[in-house]
Amino acid sequence: MTNRSHSFRMPDKPSLDGIEAKWVDVWDESGVYHFDRTVGREDVFSIDTPPPTVSGSLHIGHVFSYTHTDTVARFQRMNGKAVFYPMGWDDNGLPTERRVQNYYGVRCDPSIPYDPDFQPPEKPDPKRQLPISRRNFIELCDVLTAEDEKVFESIWRRLGLSVDWRYTYATIDDTSRAAAQRAFLRNLARGEAYMAEAPTLWDVTFRTAVAQAELEDRERPSAYHKVAFHKADGSPVHIETTRPELLPACVALVAHPDDERYKDLFGTTVTTPVFGVEVPVEAHRLADPEKGSGIAMICTFGDTTDVTWWRELQLTTRPIIGWDGRIMADAPQGLQSGPAREAYDKLVGATVHTARERMVEMLGESGDLVGEPTPVTHPVKFYEKGDKPLEVVTTRQWYIRNGGRDENLRAQFIQRGRELVWYPDHMRQRYENWVEGLNGDWLISRQRFFGVPFPVWYPLDGEGNPRYDEPLVPAEDQLPIDPSSQAPAGYTEDQRGLPGGFTGDPDVMDTWATSSLSPQIASGWERDEDLFQRVFPMDFRPQGQDIIRTWLFSTVVRAHFEHDSLPWSTTGLSGWILDPDRKKMSKSKGNVVTPVAMLEKYSSDAVRYWAANGRLGTDTALDEGQMKIGRRLSIKILNASKFVMSVASGDATSDPAQVTQPLDRAMLAALAEVVADATTAFQAFDHTRALERTERFFWAFCDDYLELVKARAYDTGSAEGASARAALLIALDVLHRLFSPFLPFVTEEVWSWWQEGSVHGQSWPAAEEYGALAADGDPAVLAATAEVLRDVRRAKSEAKLSMRAEVESVRVAGDRVEAVRSAVGDLAAAGRAVTVDLEPVEGKELTVEVSLPDPEEQR
């Protein structure tokens, strides 16, 4: 701490009103948050900021978690790091398409030609959507997301995020598409990406494949139907199923190998009811003897267990459900003629629900339905954004290996998770549980329109059939490309779709296939090598705990394959935001709160204060009471800062050499402890502890220390007065910096009253420096003296006397009396005590006796 003289520029009436707009503009112009590209990697702290989905609206949970990240960025910047803090926008995928469809009243139809003069309907009708070309649809997506991004950016600026806005990206822009396509082509070349035709979890509403990480179980009512299959002698074998509509897709019955009831049946066949198709009876360990009758039908496909049974038992396939979720017109093998075909035709074109009703009716007529269906409630798999249960259909899809079918690779990803530093540490177990529970590779293709296209074409044979095993790929310097509108090398556009010509891959990548490259995209991978070398691997990945299985894991997968490293060294996981009734906030529950009204009502710093009181990994309730406290704290910082500057204006210096008095040194010693605790907390990514410690000291500083030294500080003609004023200014300097990661607006405001530059460009205070300034200062002196002063005030209050009333005497006894002795002058002045008597008593708690004047005499 150097000797500094100060001039003060305080407003007459400090206020929080308007300071956000004032300082956002100043920060933008000054470049205080700009990343310094001249420093070496060891002096950089880089953050892989979550790109929020811009197709919706920001909610209070975003404010909560992004505030946590911002406190980290600000702390690291003040610790001398060049902080690389970019912002991304996640604007591709289903949410954006859905928003565009509803907003403009259109839907994508790839068969329609491009209209360069297309204008969306003046009066959009979401229920009667106008079909438009894929290119027109994508152009509308681009327009709407650009507008959404502006809204998001304005909210982030209002919140005070110290982002370097020169470094932004969108997951659908040219840079991101090139990066995603480049990574995919390299995965493909190394054998980490592959195409396969296989059973796929399918959302019939969106008509797209769904990955394991996008599933959620929802409890749904259903019913068990007891159905009779028939042995060769005509006797029944009863199974119980909730999906009788899949009987025409049945390829086997299965029971546990140790189930004595069915051992005689293994290796034989039975016939299906109604259809009379002969199917084998198999043994498999996944069959549950306790479930239903203990024997189940295997259908292609009812659920993921059917897929496992089908694959491991090498069964035939009888698919009946199409991409639209209806029963297909083409009857499967064994049902293509005779009564079986007649029965099947009754189901053709029906939805799953209707087909179930018709099948139950046919079973009743054939006498194969035993008793009445038994109602049950059971978990059913849904796409997390879908409204109907998923089906399993056979499709051709792209996959990236993730250890789901490779024990060695799985072990490598488990090890990567153990190399990563987790805050809180227990979140690592969620990662390991996910990786260990994978049952297949990462399905990355989606049958949608607004996304990153697969950079692949297929040559067509003489009959116009794609040769999928001979894909055509572009050179990396051609990226990004769109195979639906660009021809591969050696072909011309007029050969598209013709025998001997080519066709482009129609699918786009899963949104996580792009977002999983956010560190590479933000860092300039293969685009800005100088930047990439300075910031990658990144230092910190903040994110929600619910996307460990998607965003975090997939990012680890991509970095492992491409760089043989982790993408970052540390991750911090936010907890859930709960509504006031302690229920998790979610759009589906309708209890999500948007932040703008609260930012306007309480101030950005007040909302940040509430957010910063939530630790990483800890669920936190939305609490406007906390925001009110944050606003009071901000106002107190304004007023206390003005008061200190007013007191010190006659001798405005923060010369440490002038701090000579025991109470002043005690305060600085206590402040040094706060700095040490806050620093340690921030280094452990515990922003909440850092705030708690700083705030507790600040209120004690205002309530106790300021009152104790006020009289002395006004004495401009003494060394004792100079000591108080210097100590006050030193404390103010430190407190402004300690609060600045949490309350950036109010601290910048008060800093500007007496300091040059931005508080956010200052260094973080060093505990050792202020410990040295305190010299022989003992925090116990301040603590004990403040305790006595509080007792004096309490006595006055209980006697209904003014705090300015004099008291005849104060008698202090106990084992901490000596701590009070060195500050007895300040105590007497603050308590307006004529005399203060001190009586050391070893082993006794501090007691205070106050001789009060007669209240009548005071009046």
Side-chain angles (χ1 to χ4, degrees), residues 193-200 394-399 405 443 445:
Y194 64 92
M195 174 179 275
E197 185 169 11
T200 307
T394 299
T395 60
R396 187 178 297 278
Q397 305 287 347
W398 284 105
Y399 297 84
R405 296 182 180 177
L443 190 157
S445 48

Side-chain angles (χ1 to χ4, degrees), residues 318-355:
R318 290 195 178 95
I320 65 167
I321 298 178
W323 288 16
D324 59 357
R326 294 177 180 271
I327 305 301
M328 296 188 296
D330 292 337
Q333 179 186 5
L335 287 81
Q336 295 166 342
S337 62
R341 177 67 201 227
E342 291 176 10
Y344 182 79
D345 283 344
K346 294 179 182 179
L347 306 178
V348 169
T351 63
V352 167
H353 177 77
T354 300

Side-chain angles (χ1 to χ4, degrees), residues 460-465 495 497-502:
L460 301 179
D461 63 20
E463 296 180 355
N465 298 312
Q495 293 177 278
L498 298 179
F502 72 93

